[in-house]
Amino acid sequence: AQSVTQPDIHITVSEGASLELRCNYSYGATPYLFWYVQSPGQGLQLLLKYFSGDTLVQGIKGFEAEFKRSQSSFNLRKPSVHWSDAAEYFCAVGAGYNFNKFYFGSGTKLNVKP
Amino acid sequence: EAQVTQNPRYLITVTGKKLTVTCSQNMNHEYMSWYRQDPGLGLRQIYYSMNVEVTDKGDVPEGYKVSRKEKRNFPLILESPSPNQTSLYFCASSPDVGTGQDTEAFFGQGTRLTVV
């Protein structure tokens, strides 16, 4: 069965420090992988996605993620965090017919210290 | 502007009083779905629809109904709401693309439902 695990519930980093949010997935075929961000009181905004090709994908707001098939991981990174990055981040895998069924992780809440 | 619109954004209701949350998208997407978001559980799919008049259960369908009479609309119906349906609900839409093609889900702003 498909599943997504985000092992870190909360992470606190200092502004300007680097960030890595972990995501592991379980899926029988080549996955479609996504990272979404949710700011307080807002919907979900797509940060980046992976379907095939280059395993390092670039997204919006300076984020990137690397797909590692051998580790079933799709970790999100940012070299220098800004206070505005404080939000909740969700990793998701697209499955089902034409990969339209999304399975989400439980989310990681990012706090940014000044 | 391409968007998914949910209404209402906030709703407080009493146990057993039927309610409907509307969802509309203007992107001509075939695929629409409803999720509920609960702390520590992420988003879980309630129902989805692959096209007009085609709907199916997601992972947590109990206590919910949906309909898809028009391509743009996908309302979520709670016939007899209970307190355990207090949650944050999201509607999403995505295009029906072939395998290996680019796709993503577009989300509405969410509906916070409280059942007392």
Side-chain angles (χ1 to χ4, degrees), chain A residues 9 32 34 36 38 41-46 49 51-52 88 90 95 97-107, chain B residues 9 31 35 37 40 42-43 45 50 58-59 88 90 94-105 107-109:
Chain A
I9 300 173
Y32 281 32
F34 306 82
Y36 282 86
Q38 184 182 30
Q42 301 297 311
L44 281 80
Q45 181 184 21
L46 181 71
K49 54 190 173 182
F51 298 118
S52 63
E88 190 160 19
F90 292 94
Y97 174 74
N98 278 344
F99 298 89
N100 266 307
K101 182 175 173 65
F102 288 78
Y103 290 89
F104 285 85
S106 54
Chain B
R9 293 287 312 276
Y31 193 94
Y35 295 84
Q37 182 182 9
L43 283 80
Q45 193 179 61
M50 298 204 306
D59 300 311
L88 179 58
F90 287 100
S94 53
D96 184 10
V97 299
T99 300
Q101 301 301 311
D102 194 348
T103 189
E104 69 179 84
F107 285 83
Q109 290 291 88

Side-chain angles (χ1 to χ4, degrees), chain B residues 35-87:
Chain B
Y35 295 84
R36 60 178 288 173
Q37 182 182 9
D38 301 291
L41 297 177
L43 283 80
R44 294 176 293 167
Q45 193 179 61
I46 303 170
Y47 267 95
Y48 65 95
S49 168
M50 298 204 306
N51 216 322
V52 175
E53 303 292 3
V54 180
T55 64
D56 208 346
K57 296 177 181 178
D59 300 311
V60 287
E62 294 77 20
Y64 305 95
K65 283 176 55 178
V66 292
S67 69
R68 187 93 181 271
K69 293 184 170 55
E70 305 165 280
K71 197 172 187 179
R72 63 183 292 126
N73 296 323
F74 190 46
L76 179 70
I77 303 155
L78 284 73
E79 294 269 1
S80 182
S82 61
N84 64 12
Q85 293 178 295
T86 293
S87 187

Side-chain angles (χ1 to χ4, degrees), chain B residues 8-19 21 36-38 64 78 80-89 110-116:
Chain B
R9 293 287 312 276
Y10 302 91
L11 179 60
I12 301 174
T13 190
V14 296
T15 299
K17 185 177 180 182
K18 180 179 178 180
L19 65 91
V21 184
R36 60 178 288 173
Q37 182 182 9
D38 301 291
Y64 305 95
L78 284 73
S80 182
S82 61
N84 64 12
Q85 293 178 295
T86 293
S87 187
L88 179 58
Y89 291 86
T111 296
R112 186 166 292 281
L113 171 66
T114 302
V115 184
V116 298

